[in-house]
Amino acid sequence: GPCTRDRRPPHGRTDDTARDRGVGPPMTPHVVIADDDRAIRESLQRALTLEGYRVTLAADGVQAAVAARGPDVDVIVLDVGMPTIDGLGVTRLLRAEGVTTPILMLTARVSVDARVAGLDAGADDYLPKPFDLDELMARLRALVRRSQFSVAAADPDAADLTMGLLRVDPTARRTWWGSTEMTLSKTEFDLLELLVRNRGQVLTHSVIYDRIWQYDFGPDSNNLAVYISYLRRKLDAAGAPDLIRTVRGVGYRLDEP
């Protein structure tokens, strides 16, 4: 059947963290699935319901944009190729309206350009079709954790992180190079914050995957490389020098300019 091998609840390892912070156990996660392929919609609905999610379905971009505005949506799964408005259009629309709910983009296009277009529109993660159900579940668990605990984890007294002209505000989740503010997706911001907090240190691929996604995609994945290249592009556009160093076969390091 469509169940996954992983039997943990969708919110995975966050139960103890939630209790520690006194915010109570996570609510049943609510996911919007938007895909014009009825078979995919229905199979995902069955699998996610079995895993303890509440599921809202959308068959096109207009339905997706309406469903995604719900106040209690934890994560949105958008197919890139939908009628009326495609997944990129829906993502841009939601981000322009200030909707910050994590978005996982499903794309049949495997080129880096197609993935970068999704990240540029404001998506937090992408999964190429055809995808493995276990992989989708793991991505969703990580996004739901971040959605449910980004508010709980915010420390109102947290000081801005600075490195040269780079300034990161962890509470407001905003970042600047000099006076230029950069527009980053949730994943890009988390990645930059992690690098700045560990400046000068090499962060291995597996450490970054665990901290950002709570899931290691393994040595064959180029997921992280795509996000790093996109972060570099945004830093460069803001006028920053090349701050992120690649340590071949190991990971990445943020160097003082």
Side-chain angles (χ1 to χ4, degrees):
C3 334
T4 68
R5 291 186 292 273
D6 190 335
R7 284 285 148 230
R8 288 176 301 164
H11 24 272
R13 299 187 289 224
T14 50
D15 298 22
D16 294 335
T17 321
R19 279 196 290 274
D20 293 346
R21 292 193 181 119
V23 295
M27 307 298 284
T28 301
H30 182 191
V31 59
V32 172
I33 302 283
D35 197 305
D36 60 329
D37 185 325
R38 183 177 169 183
I40 289 178
R41 281 199 312 275
E42 292 182 350
S43 66
L44 286 180
Q45 182 178 33
R46 279 195 303 274
L48 288 165
T49 303
L50 283 169
E51 290 285 324
Y53 288 84
R54 278 193 303 127
V55 180
T56 300
L57 297 180
D60 61 37
V62 171
Q63 289 180 18
V66 171
R69 292 186 183 95
D72 61 343
V73 176
D74 291 296
V75 63
I76 303 159
V77 178
L78 288 178
D79 179 42
V80 169
M82 285 188 296
T84 65
I85 314 173
D86 70 6
L88 296 175
V90 174
T91 301
R92 288 191 192 100
L93 181 69
L94 293 172
R95 294 304 186 234
E97 291 178 352
V99 176
T100 59
T101 309
I103 292 173
L104 172 64
M105 198 76 88
L106 301 178
T107 173
R109 308 166 198 161
V110 292
S111 73
V112 170
D113 285 350
R115 294 171 182 187
V116 162
L119 303 183
D120 190 25
D124 296 279
D125 203 352
Y126 63 86
L127 198 55
K129 289 179 170 180
F131 53 82
D132 178 76
L133 190 55
D134 286 352
E135 174 91 349
L136 176 75
M137 292 297 187
R139 305 284 186 99
L140 285 181
R141 275 194 296 273
L143 290 173
V144 166
R145 269 196 291 271
R146 287 161 55 195
S147 174
Q148 293 184 335
F149 291 101
S150 59
V151 177
D155 177 359
D157 302 319
D160 285 4
L161 303 168
T162 57
M163 191 185 89
L165 291 176
L166 182 64
R167 180 161 66 92
V168 176
D169 179 344
T171 307
R173 297 184 68 81
R174 296 170 69 187
T175 186
W176 297 263
W177 175 261
S179 59
T180 305
E181 182 166 3
M182 291 181 281
T183 304
L184 303 182
S185 75
K186 195 180 184 82
T187 298
E188 290 164 351
F189 183 90
D190 289 346
L191 188 52
L192 182 60
E193 182 186 0
L194 181 65
L195 288 165
V196 173
R197 286 188 186 279
N198 297 278
R199 71 194 75 175
Q201 298 177 45
V202 177
L203 294 175
T204 65
H205 296 117
S206 59
V207 162
I208 297 173
Y209 277 132
D210 187 60
R211 296 287 287 281
I212 303 298
W213 284 275
Q214 291 86 44
Y215 178 75
D216 191 339
F217 298 111
D220 297 330
S221 173
N222 72 340
N223 220 42
L224 180 55
V226 171
Y227 280 94
I228 289 284
S229 69
Y230 211 66
L231 197 49
R232 282 178 170 145
R233 213 181 277 197
K234 291 195 175 179
L235 283 162
D236 181 61
D242 188 12
L243 303 174
I244 304 173
R245 296 270 176 264
T246 301
V247 183
R248 295 215 173 276
V250 182
Y252 299 95
R253 183 183 73 229
L254 194 69
D255 285 344
E256 300 271 354

